């Protein structure tokens, strides 16, 4: 068994106690202490995962913006071609 090196006491508001109950449910832990220890242990992994997801989201956002710009450019060129084509039909 791991030796205990720190003991803390938390004084929570009603709202904070509700949030702690929600964390217990989310983590699947039965006690507040277990839930808090789980969160402390997993926090670095969670942050790394969050940062990776944010990076991937940013890359996808940039990609879709570039695709949107390309589509708008294509539609603009198509519109100009159609206008030129209509002008040539009238000139006949």
């Amino acid at each position: 068994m791991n030796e205990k090196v720190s003991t803390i006491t938390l004084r929570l508001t009603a709202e904070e106690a509700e949030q702690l109950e929600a964390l217990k449910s989310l983590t699947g832990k039965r006690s507040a202490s277990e839930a808090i220890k789980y969160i402390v242990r997993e926090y670095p992994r969670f942050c790394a995962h969050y940062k990776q997801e944010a990076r991937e989201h940013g890359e996808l956002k940039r990609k879709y913006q570039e695709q949107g710009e390309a589509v708008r450019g294509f539609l603009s060129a198509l519109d100009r071609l159609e206008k030129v084509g209509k002008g040539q039909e009238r000139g006949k």
Side-chain angles (χ1 to χ4, degrees):
M1 182 177 227
N2 293 338
E3 181 182 340
K4 304 295 180 198
V5 294
S6 178
T7 302
I8 62 171
T9 300
L10 295 175
R11 289 177 179 79
L12 303 176
T13 64
E15 184 179 327
E16 292 166 338
E18 284 180 35
Q19 291 298 316
L20 184 54
E21 289 301 314
L23 286 174
K24 284 169 43 180
S25 177
L26 285 171
T27 60
K29 303 300 178 185
R30 292 183 183 204
S31 72
S33 180
E34 288 175 342
I36 291 169
K37 288 192 280 186
Y38 176 81
I39 291 167
V40 168
R41 274 192 315 271
E42 294 298 320
Y43 185 75
R45 185 184 65 79
F46 170 78
C47 286
H49 177 73
Y50 176 80
K51 288 176 184 177
Q52 178 64 30
E53 290 289 321
R55 264 192 305 274
E56 290 173 7
H57 175 73
E59 290 169 6
L60 284 174
K61 185 176 180 179
R62 282 187 293 282
K63 176 184 170 185
Y64 292 137
Q65 285 174 339
E66 289 173 5
Q67 287 177 347
E69 289 172 15
V71 168
R72 283 188 294 281
F74 173 78
L75 292 174
S76 176
L78 180 60
D79 185 49
R80 289 192 308 269
L81 284 171
E82 288 174 344
K83 287 178 183 176
V84 169
K86 286 180 183 178
Q88 289 177 354
E89 287 177 5
R90 289 183 194 148
K92 287 185 178 180

